[in-house]
């Protein structure tokens, strides 16, 4: 069926509705010059388009374009000529990481929805849009999140649910305005503690993943109001098995230098030792001034948080003698039954790196 | 297990009250053509204290969802699902519209001894049924799971079990119409891993098409 002006429900306020018209192509010629200039929003969703006509650029004042629910395998290069385009919805098509034009990153988009396509990677062009506030790539085939995601400094919403993602890069924590992070229905085994830097995070969706515990740092997300965790194999009881092995001589020396503030200078030590000393982690126990390098003790505390009962939160202590820090979150249990019933020599030991 | 035996009878004994032959003759089979018509029919049915669950389910199912009629109630929130009151049923029931964004889901919850009817107005929802937890601290037992399609109506009450409702789609939102009789303001949520319960207060995102301020500031869902 051909497109012509009469067929479309033209509301006369810059909105052209060509949706659900069984279109196989977009014939721009049949739209008058005036209509093309006026058009701010175009709905082309739910048709049979296999490609987007390059003449789309003739709608040069376009701000909103919906091409969802078509059969698109690529988006034409000429779309980058739509300098005023702010919202592009292209969900439920047949797009992959090779479908986007090279200069796609030059668009000043604020909202981009590519959910329900065939992306196996987040294309680099998507990480170049500095005005992007909302990025949706749900229901694709993504295996990972590129560290370049941190370039999207305006991002508030990141929807990556329903993919094959196995890990969250720490760079996600560098998005200063992120309020809604959706990672449900993936294959994530752990949440990086760096996510604690996401001050503005309001909602975190982690349901249907492979999490057994969460980092204790999650309690620092003071603005977090929604947290979904169903369908994760979260531990209900912390299993204590192994005995504690003492730290190495290198570690003991490193700990002494750091905790006693013994001065050292770059010309005094070989590079490898300088690097090692930089890796010191402060013991999370506020009463302990100690540090640890590779040898620490893993401990799980069960805490009520965000409407959830007894979340297993993992934290690390520098030694079994170091008592577990009190939680700063008033919602948490004052004591966990696990802490009191476990003799110190049975706490599990974890080697980092 | 559900609350007091007396209260339990409320949803139980009204569950299946078959009509007599005379009643069947008198009753016209009215198919609501609009949402307003559906509401009017529901008002009439609920004048009586006895409810025929099958009848209500059938009538709700026969209304063909027309977005133009309910869009004004369907106010959504990007962070979680919303509850939007449509009609207070003369105190006999609450009729509300729930808007579910992509991935949004509820906790496992009960229905405080009331009838619950849920109709899909747009999109699809996944309903997972659970047994009531026993007194031991253990993982809750899942009974069944199904996907409800547009215009379908599901029914549940405490004697049937508990359920979790979720929108499993990553590309489409969903909208559902819920009828609860008698109306209730609190319910229990359940932790799937342990059966632990919490009583939560239920709030409305909007009433009669007007956005109403949200009372609780912290999410009470265990999802």
């Amino acid at each position: 069926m051909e497109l012509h002006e009469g067929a479309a429900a033209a509301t006369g306020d810059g909105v052209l509705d060509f949706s659900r018209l069984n279109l196989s192509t977009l014939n721009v010629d049949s739209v008058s010059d005036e209509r093309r200039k006026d058009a701010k929003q175009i709905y082309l969703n739910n048709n049979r388009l296999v490609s987007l006509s390059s003449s789309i650029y003739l709608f040069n004042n376009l701000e909103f374009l919906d091409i969802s629910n078509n059969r698109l395998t690529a988006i034409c290069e000429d779309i980058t000529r739509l300098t005023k385009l702010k919202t592009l919805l292209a969900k439920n098509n047949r797009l992959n990481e090779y479908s986007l034009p090279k200069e796609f990153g030059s668009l000043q988009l604020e909202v981009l929805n590519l959910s329900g396509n065939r992306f196996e990677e987040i294309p680099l062009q998507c990480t170049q849009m500095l005005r992007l506030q909302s990025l949706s790539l749900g229901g694709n085939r993504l295996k990972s999140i590129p560290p370049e995601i941190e370039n999207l400094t305006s991002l508030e919403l990141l929807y990556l649910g329903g993919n094959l993602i196995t890990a969250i890069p720490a760079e996600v924590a560098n998005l200063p305005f992120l309020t809604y992070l959706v990672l449900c229905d993936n294959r994530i085994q752990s949440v990086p503690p760096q996510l604690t830097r996401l001050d503005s995070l309001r909602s975190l969706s982690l349901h249907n993943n492979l999490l057994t515990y969460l980092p204790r740092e999650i309690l620092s997300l003071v603005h977090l109001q929604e947290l979904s965790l169903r369908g994760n194999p979260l531990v209900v009881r912390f299993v204590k098995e192994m005995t504690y092995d003492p730290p190495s001589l290198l570690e003991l020396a490193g700990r002494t230098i750091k905790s006693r503030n013994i001065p050292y200078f770059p010309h005094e030590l070989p590079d490898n030792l300088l690097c090692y000393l930089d890796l010191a982690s402060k013991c999370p126990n506020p009463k302990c001034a100690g540090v640890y390098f590779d040898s620490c003790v893993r401990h799980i505390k069960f805490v009520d948080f965000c409407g959830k009962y007894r979340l297993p939160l993992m934290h690390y202590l520098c030694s079994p003698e170091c008592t577990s820090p009190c939680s700063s979150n008033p919602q948490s249990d004052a004591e966990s039954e696990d802490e009191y019933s476990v003799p110190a020599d049975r706490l599990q030991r974890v080697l980092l790196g | 297990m559900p609350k007091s035996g007396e209260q339990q009878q409320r949803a139980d004994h009204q569950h299946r009250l078959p009509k007599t032959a005379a009643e069947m003759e008198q009753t016209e089979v009215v198919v609501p053509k609009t949402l307003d018509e559906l509401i009017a029919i529901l008002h009439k049915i609920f004048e009586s204290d006895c409810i025929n669950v099958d009848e209500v389910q059938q009538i709700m199912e026969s209304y063909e969802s027309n977005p133009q009629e309910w869009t004004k109630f369907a106010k959504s929130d990007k962070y979680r699902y919303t509850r939007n009151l449509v009609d207070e049923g003369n105190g006999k029931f609450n009729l509300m519209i729930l808007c579910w964004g992509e991935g949004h889901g509820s906790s496992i919850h009960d229905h405080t001894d009331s009838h619950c009817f849920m109709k899909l107005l747009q999109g699809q929802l996944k309903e997972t049924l659970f047994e009531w937890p026993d007194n031991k601290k253990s993982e809750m037992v899942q009974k069944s799971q199904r996907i409800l399609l547009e215009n379908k109506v599901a029914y549940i009450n405490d004697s049937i079990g508990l359920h979790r409702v979720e929108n499993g789609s990553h590309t489409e939102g969903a909208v559902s119409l819920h009828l609860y009789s008698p109306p209730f303001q609190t319910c229990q949520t359940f932790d799937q891993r342990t059966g632990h319960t919490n009583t939560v207060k239920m709030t409305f995102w909007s009433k009669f098409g007007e956005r109403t301020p949200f009372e609780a500031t912290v999410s009470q869902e265990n999802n």
Side-chain angles (χ1 to χ4, degrees):
Chain A
M1 184 181 153
E2 271 189 15
L3 168 77
H4 57 97
E5 263 181 70
T11 55
D13 54 359
V15 178
L16 292 176
D17 189 351
F18 299 130
S19 66
R20 297 168 207 278
L21 292 175
N22 209 26
L23 298 172
S24 48
T25 53
L26 166 65
N27 183 0
V28 181
D29 293 337
S30 56
V31 180
S32 67
D33 266 348
E34 200 188 317
R35 270 279 174 79
R36 288 186 213 160
K37 275 209 200 83
D38 285 343
K40 290 235 173 77
Q41 294 182 24
I42 293 183
Y43 291 87
L44 273 164
N45 52 296
N46 296 84
N47 283 298
R48 296 186 296 122
L49 302 178
V50 173
S51 65
L52 182 63
S53 163
S54 50
S55 328
I56 192 81
Y57 80 88
L58 293 169
F59 296 96
N60 54 355
N61 287 312
L62 202 58
E63 294 174 8
F64 175 106
L65 178 60
D66 189 347
I67 46 178
S68 300
N69 293 290
N70 279 288
R71 299 168 192 184
L72 298 170
T73 50
I75 296 184
C76 59
E77 189 79 40
D78 287 275
I79 202 175
T80 59
R81 296 166 78 170
L82 295 173
T83 52
K84 298 194 184 157
L85 194 65
K86 293 214 182 68
T87 298
L88 177 62
L89 310 177
K91 53 181 193 173
N92 297 323
N93 279 291
R94 298 166 193 187
L95 304 169
N96 61 32
E97 56 269 27
Y98 306 109
S99 306
L100 301 180
K102 280 205 164 45
E103 303 302 317
F104 191 72
S106 67
L107 282 171
Q108 303 294 303
L109 292 181
E110 291 172 5
V111 176
L112 176 60
N113 191 330
L114 296 167
S115 293
N117 279 289
R118 300 169 187 188
F119 287 90
E120 295 189 21
E121 273 178 20
I122 298 182
L124 220 58
Q125 300 96 312
C126 289
T127 63
Q128 290 164 350
M129 293 179 221
L130 302 184
R131 303 245 172 124
L132 203 59
Q133 292 168 19
S134 170
L135 175 60
S136 300
L137 273 154
N140 277 284
R141 302 163 190 183
L142 302 176
K143 298 196 197 74
S144 63
I145 305 169
E148 287 85 356
I149 197 85
E150 64 180 354
N151 297 340
L152 296 173
T153 45
S154 301
L155 206 62
E156 295 169 22
L157 183 154
L158 180 57
Y159 193 111
L160 297 173
N163 281 289
L164 304 166
I165 296 169
T166 52
I168 308 169
E171 282 82 1
V172 170
N174 294 336
L175 299 168
F177 301 111
L178 199 64
T179 45
Y180 190 27
L181 178 58
V182 181
L183 293 163
C184 58
D185 291 290
N186 275 292
R187 297 182 182 174
I188 297 167
Q189 292 182 23
S190 68
V191 172
Q194 291 89 340
L195 286 201
T196 192
R197 291 209 294 270
L198 291 170
D199 282 333
S200 32
L201 201 63
R202 152 83 198 264
S203 180
L204 178 57
S205 168
L206 288 168
H207 59 272
N208 298 329
N209 272 291
L210 300 170
L211 299 170
T212 46
Y213 56 82
L214 295 171
R216 192 182 175 277
E217 288 80 0
I218 205 161
L219 294 176
S220 312
L221 294 172
V222 288
H223 294 113
L224 195 65
Q225 289 181 37
E226 329 297 336
L227 171 63
S228 69
L229 289 168
R230 61 187 180 279
N232 277 287
L234 295 176
V235 298
V236 181
R237 259 167 213 82
F238 180 44
V239 179
K240 290 111 192 150
E241 302 152 355
M242 297 156 62
T243 54
Y244 174 70
D245 293 330
S248 64
L249 205 53
L250 175 63
E251 165 121 18
L252 288 174
R255 286 190 185 198
T256 306
I257 288 170
K258 283 287 172 181
S259 55
R260 296 196 192 181
N261 275 320
I262 297 173
Y264 59 92
F265 301 98
H267 59 266
E268 290 175 340
L269 294 173
D271 282 341
N272 64 320
L273 289 183
L274 287 172
C275 287
Y276 182 80
L277 287 170
D278 281 342
L279 293 174
S281 300
K282 196 175 173 334
C283 181
N285 183 351
K287 295 183 195 143
C288 173
V291 297
Y292 63 89
F293 290 84
D294 304 306
S295 175
C296 68
V297 170
R298 190 170 72 175
H299 185 65
I300 287 189
K301 189 167 172 170
F302 292 88
V303 166
D304 285 1
F305 179 63
C306 258
K308 320 272 163 280
Y309 177 70
R310 298 212 150 208
L311 290 189
L313 301 185
M314 175 80 81
H315 57 256
Y316 298 90
L317 302 170
C318 62
S319 74
E321 284 73 48
C322 195
T323 54
S324 177
C326 290
S327 173
S328 54
N329 187 324
Q331 287 177 330
S332 78
D333 295 353
E335 55 234 24
S336 159
E337 64 193 53
D338 304 286
E339 281 175 56
Y340 280 30
S341 62
V342 178
D345 62 354
R346 292 185 61 215
L347 289 172
Q348 193 171 26
R349 179 220 183 191
V350 168
L351 247 187
L352 299 173
Chain B
M1 279 312 289
K3 286 183 200 156
S4 76
E6 248 181 57
Q7 277 180 304
Q8 184 48 40
Q9 273 168 41
R10 197 166 49 168
D12 254 353
H13 117 280
Q14 288 162 2
H15 175 77
R16 283 184 163 276
L17 222 56
K19 293 196 163 188
T20 62
E23 282 174 331
M24 292 284 278
E25 266 183 46
Q26 284 170 9
T27 314
E28 337 147 10
V29 176
V30 187
V31 172
K33 292 188 224 67
T34 66
L35 182 60
D36 283 340
E37 272 183 36
L38 173 63
I39 295 173
I41 294 171
L42 290 170
H43 272 249
K44 210 154 169 227
I45 293 179
F46 280 87
E47 271 167 17
S48 149
D49 278 333
C50 295
I51 305 159
N52 182 323
V53 166
D54 290 334
E55 182 186 17
V56 176
Q57 189 161 4
Q58 195 194 35
I59 282 176
M60 282 183 72
E61 210 158 278
S62 66
Y63 161 65
E64 257 184 64
S65 169
N66 179 354
Q68 279 175 10
E69 290 165 7
W70 48 256
T71 287
K72 64 173 186 266
F73 300 111
K75 298 184 188 306
S76 61
D77 180 37
K78 62 180 173 208
Y79 302 116
R80 46 154 297 141
Y81 74 90
T82 60
R83 307 171 76 244
N84 304 277
L85 184 63
V86 174
D87 191 273
E88 277 175 323
N90 283 337
K92 292 295 189 70
F93 62 83
N94 266 353
L95 189 70
M96 62 191 76
I97 281 178
L98 272 61
C99 293
W100 311 76
E102 293 89 319
H104 289 176
S106 76
S107 40
I108 301 172
H109 57 274
D110 68 356
H111 298 87
T112 321
D113 295 325
S114 292
H115 301 280
C116 160
F117 299 85
M118 171 170 73
K119 177 192 177 72
L120 261 295
L121 294 176
Q122 184 173 289
Q124 299 178 2
L125 288 173
K126 180 162 67 179
E127 182 196 29
T128 311
L129 288 185
F130 290 86
E131 304 274 12
W132 281 83
D134 54 32
N135 286 326
K136 300 178 220 128
K137 186 176 165 179
S138 60
E139 175 105 25
M140 286 175 68
V141 176
Q142 190 173 309
K143 284 203 320 187
S144 63
Q145 193 176 77
R146 59 172 166 169
I147 307 270
L148 294 155
L149 303 177
E150 271 181 24
N151 281 312
K152 275 291 169 213
V153 175
Y155 170 79
I156 193 170
N157 67 45
D158 284 353
S159 68
I160 293 174
L162 308 164
H163 70 180
R164 186 198 300 284
V165 180
E166 16 179 6
N167 177 10
S169 172
H170 299 292
T171 55
E172 322 301 327
V175 182
S176 52
L177 180 71
H178 296 236
L179 188 152
Y180 299 104
S181 178
F184 55 93
Q185 285 76 41
T186 65
C187 71
Q188 293 185 90
T189 62
F190 297 78
D191 180 81
Q192 189 169 346
R193 298 175 297 137
T194 59
H196 174 87
T197 67
N198 239 356
T199 300
V200 298
K201 191 172 157 194
M202 298 149 82
T203 56
F204 290 110
W205 185 257
S206 75
K207 291 187 182 180
F208 317 115
E210 298 283 326
R211 171 84 175 91
T212 49
F214 190 58
E215 287 143 13
T217 52
V218 178
S219 172
Q220 301 188 65
E221 299 280 345
N222 190 332
N223 61 352

